[in-house]
Amino acid sequence: MADDTPPPHVSGKKAGRHGGDGPSAPDSPRESGGPPDPSSIDTSRRPFVLVWEVTQACDLACDHCRADAQPARHPDELTTQEGKRLLDQARSFGPGQLVVLSGGDPLARPDLPGLIEYGSDRGLRMTLTPSGTNSLTPSVVEDLASAGIERLALSLDGATSGAHDGFRSESGSFEQTVEAARTARETGIPLQINTTVCAATVDELSGIRDLVAGLGAVLWSVFFLVPVGRGRVLDPVSPARAEETMAWLSEVSERASFGVKTTEAPHYRRVAIQRKRDASEAPDADGIGRRLGITAGDGFAFVSHTGDLYPSGFLPESAGNVREESLTERYRESELFESLRDPGQLRGKCGACEFKHVCGGSRSRAYAHTGDPLSSDPLCAYVPDGYDGPMPTGRVDAD
């Protein structure tokens, strides 16, 4: 149940696209881009989620930052026209392709509203993950709604300002994030909350759960730390603590008013199955049409600020550059992506596991610890019956 989520949200435009008593026809002749039927999508042909890191510029210096974000924009990041060509390529995957604009802080790009509107006009489902800084004002949130954003994902890594601001090394970030979340709700933009799980944050989860409910979020996305970027200096939870946390999240998902999914923790599905929950009972999609079991390179793709195509932002092994090569061809035919979609190529404990077709482990975490994206995930506590081979490199056995 990596994506146990509420029924689909149908968007309108501002007090139409996102607000009011319900959806209405768009004010401009935008193409229909509703979520495709998840069960009909072949992840060898298209990703459920395409992330474009529009910039690495950000005013924050968060301890866990994958991007090693810097205050200034990179001189070689994709230009506005190159970005539009990328969105045109994304459209060729098929109707209703989900595109997540990430960073850094995407708001560091002044052309962001225009890019959102361009993608939205072409039937893409445009979503955004901004940083919790003072750039995310109520008027900016309203402009994003008007441009056609279909979901806003904000990060909360602590249940209080002290915990969150300390983790993100920025005083005031908690209050700015909460204010932006409330504005999104008032504007009618569906809200997602992202949370990082590591030794420094795991004890905050129950308080964050209450915040997620109070803010009226539709989805809680819980990311289990992968040691890349600044995150290399943070301590992960142990496999045993990860197991306990995933079981708790599965319980939360049964009672909460919002959906729960994990990022870089596909063994959450195995944990849920072992808790006697049939994965087929979970909803097939969340409010933006996402399905269960999305992993790096298999239903997920990431384009860096300079155009490199990665299976994930946490697995920075390039399969080509969209400035020079076809996004769709590289996703479908590159050796790297094809290998990640083949559970038969997994090695070690993950390769021997009977859950490899519903889990497969985090390929990003395996890569971060070994340089081999097909090796075993060191965060997983499960050992298949009869397995007597080597245990994963980088395994942490105690918090």
Side-chain angles (χ1 to χ4, degrees):
M1 284 75 94
D3 292 287
D4 188 6
T5 52
H9 166 88
V10 182
S11 62
K13 180 179 167 78
K14 212 163 185 178
R17 174 167 275 271
H18 293 291
D21 296 325
S24 67
D27 293 348
S28 60
R30 303 187 183 217
E31 299 177 11
S32 174
D37 177 5
S39 65
S40 71
I41 294 181
D42 177 358
T43 56
S44 70
R45 303 294 298 167
R46 66 180 288 183
F48 286 99
V49 181
L50 175 65
V51 177
W52 173 23
E53 176 192 59
V54 296
T55 186
Q56 285 196 336
C58 184
D59 289 336
L60 301 182
C62 304
D63 289 345
H64 67 295
C65 182
R66 165 204 59 78
D68 253 337
Q70 306 296 323
R73 293 172 61 188
H74 193 284
D76 198 35
E77 69 186 27
L78 296 182
T79 66
T80 301
Q81 289 307 311
E82 288 172 327
K84 288 180 177 179
R85 285 198 293 271
L86 171 61
L87 295 174
D88 287 335
Q89 290 189 62
R91 181 190 183 197
S92 67
F93 276 123
Q97 176 63 50
L98 171 63
V99 177
V100 180
L101 303 179
S102 77
D105 184 1
L107 293 174
R109 286 189 66 133
D111 59 354
L112 183 69
L115 290 169
I116 293 169
E117 187 164 6
Y118 185 88
S120 222
D121 281 345
R122 280 148 186 78
L124 299 172
R125 291 174 294 131
M126 305 295 292
T127 69
L128 184 70
T129 59
S131 299
T133 68
N134 56 15
S135 63
L136 193 60
T137 63
S139 64
V140 166
V141 173
E142 291 170 3
D143 288 344
L144 295 172
S146 183
I149 207 72
E150 295 203 19
R151 179 169 294 185
L152 193 66
L154 301 173
S155 293
L156 285 172
D157 297 303
T160 63
S161 58
H164 175 87
D165 291 356
F167 187 71
R168 295 206 158 239
S169 302
E170 180 73 14
S171 178
S173 174
F174 179 84
E175 293 301 330
Q176 289 157 356
T177 300
V178 169
E179 180 184 14
R182 289 173 176 151
T183 303
R185 183 175 182 180
E186 292 166 2
T187 308
I189 305 176
L191 174 67
Q192 173 176 318
I193 297 297
N194 298 338
T195 297
T196 299
V197 176
C198 63
T201 63
V202 66
D203 291 331
E204 295 287 311
L205 290 179
S206 113
I208 295 172
R209 171 204 56 195
D210 296 340
L211 266 177
V212 172
L215 290 170
V218 298
L219 184 66
W220 188 20
S221 180
V222 184
F223 162 65
F224 283 72
L225 179 74
V226 175
V228 297
R230 292 195 190 103
R232 288 189 293 266
V233 304
L234 294 177
D235 293 324
V237 294
S238 69
R241 187 68 185 275
E243 195 90 352
E244 294 170 2
T245 302
M246 291 179 204
W248 177 80
L249 287 169
S250 184
E251 293 173 3
V252 169
S253 75
E254 296 169 354
R255 303 186 303 270
S257 59
F258 49 84
V260 177
K261 68 173 285 289
T262 59
T263 298
E264 298 298 350
H267 28 309
Y268 175 51
R269 298 193 68 208
R270 186 259 308 158
V271 170
I273 290 169
Q274 290 180 312
R275 290 187 66 243
K276 309 297 183 184
R277 291 188 62 193
D278 183 352
S280 66
E281 294 175 0
D284 283 337
D286 64 13
I288 45 179
R290 208 158 32 196
R291 195 188 71 173
L292 302 176
I294 300 166
T295 55
D298 186 8
F300 193 99
F302 179 97
V303 177
S304 80
H305 62 297
T306 55
D308 283 316
L309 175 64
Y310 302 145
S312 162
F314 303 99
L315 203 172
E317 183 77 14
S318 179
N321 192 288
V322 298
R323 281 177 161 141
E324 303 159 355
E325 300 175 87
S326 163
L327 169 65
T328 52
E329 186 273 333
R330 290 286 76 204
Y331 176 83
R332 293 168 179 167
E333 300 178 18
S334 73
E335 182 178 350
L336 173 61
F337 276 72
E338 287 185 329
S339 69
L340 293 169
R341 293 192 287 264
D342 181 6
Q345 294 197 42
L346 295 177
R347 293 187 260 276
K349 184 165 69 81
C350 283
C353 184
E354 67 270 31
F355 291 102
K356 65 184 177 183
H357 291 281
V358 296
C359 168
S362 167
R363 301 298 92 224
S364 302
R365 187 174 295 105
Y367 180 82
H369 282 280
T370 70
D372 177 6
L374 298 174
S375 64
S376 293
D377 182 348
L379 189 65
C380 181
Y382 182 72
V383 179
D385 287 343
Y387 178 75
D388 60 0
M391 298 304 288
T393 298
R395 184 178 172 118
V396 178
D397 292 315
D399 286 316

